[in-house]
């Protein structure tokens, strides 16, 4: 019985993985951005859009557009992917090239997956998060206005990756607009073909009606001058009327 009580107490007192992270984050100086990033990746609801890498030492944004629409607003209160990349750069995360032998699904390859890595940002290692610090901007500038040495190269890399992310988003948006315009063009062509067919049918009906009226006039003239027209005219007029009615309903 003592063993059962001990096991129950152990189950109550032993925190879960999430509780461990929350306790750790509250008791240390983990940056708010890093905490949100770690919690986002621990949320299984977003696994189809963003997830940990295969070895747990990086994380992958499989679809930047879906990520910007649905995940960023929920965890970071904005939907700007370029701003998210800038924040990663400020905490010294680096973009990793997604190679052929390291794909994350067909959807990720089509939409252009982005993979980021930091040596102290790892799956199931919240104890490393306090070591992730915001990069200190260089204090001294050269005459040209650009930092010298390693700091200057770092700034250029941040700007280049920011531009690359914006170009990627603009390219995807342009492709969507192009596809939408193509679909509109196809729908417009279908409507034009239908209108042309309707116009042709109306012209044919008008022509048949004119012939029908002309036929009636000729029949009246023939009946007025000939003999025995009283019996043949009704039959001829009925036949012409039937022909016109059939053409109008076609």
């Amino acid at each position: 019985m003592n063993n059962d009580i001990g096991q129950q107490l152990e189950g109550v007192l032993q925190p879960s993985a999430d509780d461990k992270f929350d306790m750790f984050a509250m008791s240390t100086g983990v940056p708010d951005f890093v905490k949100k990033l770690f919690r986002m990746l621990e949320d299984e609801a977003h696994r189809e859009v963003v997830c940990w890498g295969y070895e747990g030492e990086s994380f992958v944004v499989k679809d930047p557009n879906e990520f910007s629409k649905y995940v960023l607003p929920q965890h970071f209160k904005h939907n700007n992917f370029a701003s998210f990349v800038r924040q990663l750069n400020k905490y010294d995360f680096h973009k990793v090239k997604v190679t052929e032998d390291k794909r994350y699904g067909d959807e990720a390859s089509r939409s252009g997956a982005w993979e980021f890595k930091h040596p102290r940002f790892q799956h199931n290692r919240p104890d490393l998060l306090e070591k992730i610090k915001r990069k200190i901007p260089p204090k001294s500038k050269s005459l040209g206005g650009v930092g010298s040495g390693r700091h200057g190269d770092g700034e250029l890399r941040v700007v280049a990756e920011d531009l690359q992310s914006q170009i990627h988003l603009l390219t995807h948006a342009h492709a969507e607009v192009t596809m939408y315009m193509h679909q509109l063009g196809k729908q417009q062509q279908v409507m034009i073909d239908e209108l042309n067919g309707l116009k042709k049918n109306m012209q044919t009906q008008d022509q048949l009606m004119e012939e029908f009226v002309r036929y009636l006039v000729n029949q009246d003239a023939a009946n007025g001058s000939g003999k025995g027209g009283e019996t043949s005219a009704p039959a001829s007029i009925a036949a012409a009327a039937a022909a016109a009615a059939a053409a109008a309903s076609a």
Side-chain angles (χ1 to χ4, degrees):
M1 181 174 181
N2 292 332
N3 292 335
D4 295 338
I5 296 175
Q7 291 177 357
Q8 292 177 2
L9 289 174
E10 183 179 356
V12 173
L13 297 176
Q14 186 175 4
S16 63
D18 292 338
D19 293 335
K20 287 181 180 179
F21 172 68
D22 290 336
M23 293 170 59
F24 180 82
M26 291 174 62
S27 61
T28 59
V30 180
D32 188 56
F33 174 79
V34 177
K35 286 190 288 187
K36 291 181 178 179
L37 184 63
F38 193 88
R39 284 196 177 99
M40 177 189 71
L41 290 166
E42 293 298 306
D43 190 349
E44 293 292 332
H46 309 312
R47 187 172 181 80
E48 296 300 322
V49 180
V50 59
C51 65
W52 289 102
Y54 288 131
E55 298 178 357
E57 297 180 350
S58 63
F59 74 93
V60 183
V61 179
K62 297 181 180 180
D63 190 334
N65 294 284
E66 294 294 311
F67 179 75
S68 301
K69 290 180 182 178
Y70 303 110
V71 182
L72 275 181
Q74 182 174 345
H75 290 274
F76 296 95
K77 310 304 180 185
H78 68 84
N79 59 355
N80 192 326
F81 185 69
S83 176
F84 175 74
V85 173
R86 281 196 298 269
Q87 284 292 103
L88 290 174
N89 289 328
K90 289 178 181 179
Y91 286 94
D92 210 20
F93 282 79
H94 297 277
K95 188 174 183 294
V96 180
K97 184 177 181 181
V98 180
T99 58
E100 291 293 332
D101 58 340
K102 190 173 58 173
R103 292 292 184 90
Y104 295 93
D106 294 336
E107 187 64 29
S109 62
R110 286 195 298 269
S111 57
W114 287 53
E115 185 174 3
F116 300 95
K117 186 175 184 179
H118 190 289
R120 294 184 176 90
F121 190 78
Q122 301 177 17
H123 185 39
N124 288 331
R125 292 297 306 273
D127 55 296
L128 298 176
L129 297 180
E130 65 176 341
K131 299 179 182 179
I132 301 177
K133 303 296 182 182
R134 189 185 180 98
K135 291 191 298 185
I136 300 175
K139 296 181 179 180
S140 61
K141 297 287 183 178
S142 63
L143 294 177
V146 179
S148 59
R150 184 166 55 88
H151 293 301
D153 294 339
E155 288 184 349
L156 290 176
R157 179 174 58 81
V158 170
V159 173
E161 291 185 354
D162 186 15
L163 291 174
Q164 183 181 4
S165 65
Q166 295 185 33
I167 291 172
H168 173 80
L169 293 176
L170 288 174
T171 302
H172 186 80
H174 179 267
E176 288 185 341
V177 171
T178 301
M179 182 179 300
Y180 178 71
M181 295 299 295
H182 179 68
Q183 292 176 350
L184 284 180
K186 291 177 63 177
Q187 294 177 359
Q188 183 181 16
Q189 186 60 45
V190 171
M191 293 180 62
I192 291 174
D193 293 341
E194 291 180 352
L195 288 174
N196 288 335
L198 184 61
K199 181 179 178 181
K200 185 176 180 181
N201 290 337
M202 292 180 64
Q203 291 176 347
T204 302
Q205 292 178 10
D206 290 342
Q207 184 178 359
L208 289 173
M209 290 300 296
E210 290 178 0
E211 294 179 355
F212 172 67
V213 171
R214 191 180 303 112
Y215 176 81
L216 291 179
V217 172
N218 293 334
Q219 287 294 319
D220 288 342
N223 292 335
S225 61
K227 294 181 179 180
E230 294 80 0
T231 58
S232 59
S236 300
I237 294 174
S249 62

